[in-house]
Structures are given as structure tokens and as C-alpha cells.
């Protein structure tokens, strides 16, 4: 495996471990007034996917600068 593949796998593992509790219980959802209206597992999955994508994209950008 290439270094880029290993770094991407490490990023995935890191995000899943750090956001494990959010994925299982959901994250708080607020109304316009700032009051908690509930918890959403769907929102937690969306945020986790966004973190994965952004982390991999940043790593690829840094790696390509050194090519």
C-alpha cells in the first residue's frame, strides 16, 4: 500500500473513533432560538462523512505540493 492509502485509512479510523459516541447517540439539533429540539443520528453521519472528506482532501493537497 502507498503512503497516501495508509494515511487515508488512518484518517478514517481516527474520525470513526473520535465520533463514535455521536454516531451511536446522535448530535444535538437546535432551533433558531438555540434551544435543543432533539438528537439526530443522520446529522451525526453527515458530519462524520464531511470530516472524512475534508481530512483526506487536506492530506492529498499537502502531498501533491511536495510532488
Amino acid at each position: 500500500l502507498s503512503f497516501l492509502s495508509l494515511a487515508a485509512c488512518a484518517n478514517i479510523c481516527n474520525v470513526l473513533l473520535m465520533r463514535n459516541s455521536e454516531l451511536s447517540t446522535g448530535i444535538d439539533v437546535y432551533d433558531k432560538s438555540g434551544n435543543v429540539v432533539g438528537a439526530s443520528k443522520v446529522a451525526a453521519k453527515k458530519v462524520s462523512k464531511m470530516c472524512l472528506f475534508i481530512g483526506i482532501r487536506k492530506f492529498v493537497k499537502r502531498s501533491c505540493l511536495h510532488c
Side-chain angles (χ1 to χ4, degrees):
L1 293 173
S2 70
F3 179 71
L4 185 60
S5 300
L6 292 174
C9 289
N11 182 48
I12 291 168
C13 292
N14 185 37
V15 169
L16 292 176
L17 289 171
M18 296 302 293
R19 296 199 174 267
N20 187 37
S21 63
E22 293 175 354
L23 289 169
S24 61
T25 61
I27 57 173
D28 291 338
V29 178
Y30 299 89
D31 63 9
K32 291 181 182 180
S33 302
N35 302 316
V36 177
V37 293
S40 173
K41 290 183 181 181
V42 173
K45 286 180 185 177
K46 186 174 182 177
V47 168
S48 295
K49 287 178 185 178
M50 290 171 60
C51 287
L52 287 171
F53 175 74
I54 291 169
I56 292 170
R57 192 178 89 197
K58 282 182 180 180
F59 182 79
V60 169
K61 276 187 173 182
R62 277 188 268 135
S63 297
C64 289
L65 290 175
H66 298 290
C67 294

